[in-house]
């Protein structure tokens, strides 16, 4: 009778394996090893079926499996993470892999301008700016890819992590992962460039708004979140949409340090000033009046007031006066209470135009009649290029100009590292023309090739950078022509990113 021993889960015939002095031992060991691997694979497949939550791209995440089995693992914590995040952070911390080469031939007014136009990968450009502009940029605006299905142009060499995603949505999750890994290092470095008083604005839509908000909360700190502005980019419904016709984008705004944020507000609309008048010829000038009553009632602010005509007035039920009786007497003596032309009206508090702020706080909804819309943006760019449609989805100049006006003045620097058609540069020059500022801009754009079938390609443009530089030239000259302000800085210095050449081996 043949002798057997137990090896793993198999009983092996020692004679057949050559262990009784016969030959064939090596082949038998190979056979056992092969069968052992088959069993191991079968076991792993069984585990995967039992615990699909622990499967990561076909492999088992053992730490996750321990959690599923109740055997511990890492402590749970509140965090926003994704595969490749650590590598994305490492990329941000690496030094730049190249240099910026000046191109005076492609520039305009090289000797006198303070504006920069950088062609090249924006992550590398940001790293190089870290050496020259850290802590000096007052405002950053970017309009990054919205990740709506197109292949991302910005592909960094992060190591692809293994995404833990439920069955059925793996491809969608990978799309988010790629976008997050592209954005994270760029936002990391961008924050270092911001001045302590600076702010960053980011355009986005529903696809990545939630992820972008979480990522910025981590990078900037939740307390430095300023607002999510809603831009009404369209005003006509699209009836082909099945459930809802989306007509807005988001603009997330974060401060570098919200306690020091420079925020100038928006200019008061002329209509607001038109509500002020001076019917009693007060030497302090035009004024308007406001209700003197307020709720809920406070006992010491409930009292009777006798009007100049002798009528006795009390606050309405459930209300009180805004001020104490003593303070009311002071206001009357200072001619800050209005009882109407006949002196018989309910008292109202006078507010003088000369004492009102010259600016207003912006609402978070920005309508198309305030800051324009997508169709108008496309139209204004088309007119600038003599009727040629060079870009499909530019942002309106008024939209970006509002952000420039809210957060910058004088000699501040504005950065846009997804500059596209260079609308931000256009907006900076326009704002300078309107308020006398001497702001400068830094545009960064990857020289993406244009489709050979596009209108822009047919007339000689080869990259998005070609369009951006030409837009700045045309916009600057148009602004000077329309305003007559020849002192405006409408030039730009062109720099091109070049990889460092490898040193020959010694």
């Amino acid at each position: 009778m043949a002798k057997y021993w137990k090896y793993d889960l198999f009983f092996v015939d020692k004679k057949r394996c050559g262990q009784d002095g016969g030959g064939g031992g090596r082949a038998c060991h190979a056979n056992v090893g092969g069968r052992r691997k088959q069993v191991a694979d079968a076991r792993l497949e069984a585990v995967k079926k039992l615990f699909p939550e622990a499967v990561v791209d076909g492999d088992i995440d053992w730490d996750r499996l321990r959690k599923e089995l109740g055997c511990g693992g890492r402590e749970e914590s509140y965090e926003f993470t994704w595969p490749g995040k650590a590598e994305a952070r490492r990329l941000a911390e690496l030094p730049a892999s190249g240099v910026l080469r000046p191109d005076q031939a492609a520039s305009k007014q090289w000797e006198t301008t303070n504006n920069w136009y950088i062609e090249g990968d924006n992550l590398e450009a940001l790293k190089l700016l870290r050496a020259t502009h850290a802590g000096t940029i007052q405002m950053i605006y970017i309009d990054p890819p919205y990740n709506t299905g197109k292949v991302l142009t910005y592909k960094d060499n992060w190591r692809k992590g293994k995404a833990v995603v439920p069955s059925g949505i793996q491809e969608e999750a990978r799309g988010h992962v790629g976008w997050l890994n592209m954005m994270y290092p760029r936002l990391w470095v961008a924050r270092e460039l911001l001045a302590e008083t600076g702010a960053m604005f980011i355009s986005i839509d529903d696809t990545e708004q939630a992820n972008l908000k979480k990522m910025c909360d981590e990078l900037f700190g939740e307390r430095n979140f300023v607002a999510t502005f809603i831009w009404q980019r369209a005003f006509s419904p699209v009836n082909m949409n099945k459930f809802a016709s989306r007509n807005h984008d988001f603009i997330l705004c974060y401060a570098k340090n919200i306690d020091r944020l420079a925020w100038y507000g928006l200019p008061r609309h002329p209509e607001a000033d038109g509500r002020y008048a001076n019917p009693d010829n007060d030497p302090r000038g035009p004024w308007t009046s406001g209700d003197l009553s307020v709720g809920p009632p406070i006992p010491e602010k409930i009292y009777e007031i006798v009007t100049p005509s002798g009528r006795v007035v009390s606050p309405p039920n459930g209300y009180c006066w805004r001020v104490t009786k003593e303070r009311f007497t002071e206001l009357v003596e200072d001619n800050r209470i209005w009882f109407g032309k006949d002196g018989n009206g309910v008292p109202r508090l006078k507010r003088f135009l000369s004492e009102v702020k010259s600016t207003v706080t912006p609402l978070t909804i920005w309508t198309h009649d305030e800051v324009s819309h997508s169709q108008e943006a496309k139209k204004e760019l088309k007119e600038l290029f003599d009727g040629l449609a060079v870009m499909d989805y530019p942002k309106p100049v008024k939209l970006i100009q509002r952000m420039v006006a809210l957060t910058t003045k004088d000699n501040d620097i504005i950065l846009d590292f997804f500059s596209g058609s260079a609308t931000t540069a256009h907006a900076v020059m326009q704002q300078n023309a309107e308020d006398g500022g001497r702001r400068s801009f830094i545009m960064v754009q990857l020289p993406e090739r244009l489709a050979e079938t596009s209108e822009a390609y047919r007339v000689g443009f080869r990259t998005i950078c070609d369009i951006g530089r030409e837009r700045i030239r045309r916009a600057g000259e148009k602004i000077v022509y329309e305003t007559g302000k020849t002192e405006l800085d409408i030039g730009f210095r062109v720099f091109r990113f070049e990889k460092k050449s490898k040193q020959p081996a010694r």
Side-chain angles (χ1 to χ4, degrees), residues 202 304 500 503:
I202 309 171
E304 293 182 342
K500 292 178 182 177
Q503 296 295 326

Coordinates of all heavy atoms in Angstrom, one line a residue, residues 202 304 500 503:
I202 N -12.4 79.5 -7.5 CA -12.3 78.4 -8.4 C -13.7 78.1 -9.0 O -14.7 77.9 -8.3 CB -11.8 77.1 -7.7 CG1 -10.6 77.4 -6.9 CG2 -11.6 75.9 -8.6 CD1 -10.2 76.2 -5.9
E304 N -43.6 105.6 25.5 CA -44.4 106.5 24.6 C -43.5 107.7 24.0 O -42.6 108.2 24.7 CB -45.6 107.1 25.4 CG -46.6 106.0 25.8 CD -47.8 106.7 26.5 OE1 -47.6 107.8 27.0 OE2 -48.8 106.0 26.6
K500 N 14.8 70.3 -17.6 CA 16.3 70.4 -17.4 C 16.9 69.2 -18.2 O 16.5 68.1 -18.1 CB 16.7 70.3 -15.9 CG 16.2 71.5 -15.1 CD 16.6 71.3 -13.6 CE 16.1 72.4 -12.8 NZ 16.4 72.2 -11.3
Q503 N 22.5 65.6 -17.0 CA 23.9 65.8 -17.0 C 24.5 64.5 -17.5 O 24.1 63.4 -17.1 CB 24.5 66.1 -15.6 CG 24.0 67.4 -15.1 CD 24.5 68.6 -15.9 OE1 25.6 68.5 -16.4 NE2 23.7 69.6 -16.1

